Amino acid sequence: MASSVFLLDLKGKPLIARDYRGDIPLSAIDRFMPLLQDREDEQGTSLPVMTENGVTYLHLREKDVYLVALTRKNANAMTLLQFLHHLAKVFTEYFKTLEEESIRDNFVIIYELLDEMMDYGVPQITEPKILKEYITQESHILEIMPRPPLAVTNAVSWRSEGITYRKNEVFLDVVESINMLVNPSGQVLSSDIQGAVKMKVYLSGMPELRLGLNDKVMFESTGRSAKGKAVEMEDIRFHQCVRLSKFESDRTISFIPPDGEFELMTYRLNTQLKPLIWCETVVESHRGRIEYMVKAKAQFKHRSTANNVEIIVPVAADADSPRFKSTIGSVKYVPERAAFVWRIKQFQGGKEALLRAHVGLPSIRDDDPERKPPISVKFEIPYFTTSGIQVRYLKIVEKSGYQALPWVRYITKNGDYQLRIPDAVSSSVSRQPPI
């Protein structure tokens, strides 16, 4: 339970304050900024949860605004931090951007939202679509206040009743982001997969959905054998609509979905991967210039294609006179990023591409060998999953018995995907042909 919620500017000055329980004086917020600065000085980073004199401060920063919750109780810290994230999401939905100016311009509606979203320190309604049905930016000029939708007093607070569509459809995207760090010789130093199941729901009434994945734990607990690869997911986080008791008992993902677009779940897979796009790089250092040869390889199946590939190769901040030649795609020098960017619109699996680049350097240099940024790679591969996760079924049940069309799509893209560059080889004669 939260005792109070504050919105502060970057100096720690309160913009909005809402006291829910009265057990902590409002002046306690004056200690937040000194406490935060002390933690940053001691540990080099700010902690989301801090405690002093029996008061726990939980905070989240969005642009130039701090969202802070205070409590004296032995509260669930993750619940309150999640509430602050929902609060930021709701404010962004209402005001398009969450910053100090938008807070000052909309303080009346912010107090209304704080009263509806939390009662006596307990989170209540956090779905922006439901809140927008009866708390509007024009509500202060209405002669008759609208009645709250049934979803507010319903057990299903994230979905209103009476929704109708001419065509009932569900779109489900399994999106996996690859985080990877590879050394110059091609050895993977670290890798993991961050996955998300995103949905767009256009269904009438109050439908019940059941989603089945090739979950290894589910197959082991039921004693069934998987037809193909089973995936062991970690750090699973669900949208509030999912029945957690049902998932914990038989690993079935059962839920009444919100209307429209939402993120059903996220997960992580800590597994050893090979680079999907590998860049073999040779760097030659000459007097007054440096030459790069980058050979990109698409190390996935031939029938898949990576779209909108960007290979970002860092160069010296004072480099000049760039010249490029590539077998496919286009190359552009971006001085504000101190890098050249190789863009390939479509890169088919199993293919290779070659880039040669020459850049001029000042005659006097003082390089820091420790500061050598890696190559970053961006890409998106549709209809492809690295983990092998599969949607086994998506069942839609509604009391009226209508037929609905489920659509499933898989996407793999880059996360924090970095390839380290080898040391430059000094040479008086270039071993690469001229550009």
Side-chain angles (χ1 to χ4, degrees), residues 73-85:
K73 303 289 183 182
N74 185 18
N76 187 324
M78 287 307 299
T79 298
L80 292 180
L81 287 172
Q82 188 73 5
F83 173 78
L84 293 178
H85 278 283

Side-chain angles (χ1 to χ4, degrees), residues 13-86:
K13 183 180 178 182
L15 303 171
I16 298 285
R18 181 65 175 90
D19 189 2
Y20 290 103
R21 299 177 57 83
D23 58 348
I24 298 178
L26 293 178
S27 59
I29 196 63
D30 296 339
R31 287 294 305 149
F32 168 72
M33 193 54 70
L35 198 59
L36 184 68
Q37 291 171 348
D38 290 345
R39 294 293 188 276
E40 288 180 347
D41 292 341
E42 292 173 9
Q43 304 179 18
T45 183
S46 61
L47 299 175
V49 182
M50 303 176 293
T51 303
E52 184 182 71
N53 298 329
V55 177
T56 301
Y57 300 81
L58 304 99
H59 81 279
L60 165 71
R61 179 174 170 178
E62 288 283 336
K63 294 187 179 177
D64 57 353
V65 176
Y66 285 101
L67 292 85
V68 187
L70 274 59
T71 181
R72 277 197 191 277
K73 303 289 183 182
N74 185 18
N76 187 324
M78 287 307 299
T79 298
L80 292 180
L81 287 172
Q82 188 73 5
F83 173 78
L84 293 178
H85 278 283
H86 279 289

Side-chain angles (χ1 to χ4, degrees), residues 85-95 113 117 124-136 149 152 157-160 239-240 258-259 261-262:
H85 278 283
H86 279 289
L87 196 60
K89 180 182 175 183
V90 168
F91 290 163
T92 304
E93 283 281 334
Y94 269 85
F95 316 131
L113 290 168
M117 295 179 68
Q124 301 293 317
I125 307 153
T126 58
E127 280 295 318
K129 290 177 183 176
I130 301 300
L131 290 164
K132 278 189 169 184
E133 288 188 24
Y134 68 106
I135 298 181
T136 66
V152 174
S157 63
W158 52 87
R159 184 180 181 89
S160 298
H239 187 275
Q240 61 174 326
D259 184 49
E261 189 172 347
F262 71 101

Side-chain angles (χ1 to χ4, degrees), residues 170 172 199 209-212 255 391-396 406:
V170 176
L172 186 147
M199 299 188 72
L209 273 64
R210 288 194 291 274
L211 174 66
F255 58 99
V391 176
R392 293 169 46 242
Y393 60 83
L394 177 58
K395 297 179 180 178
I396 304 165

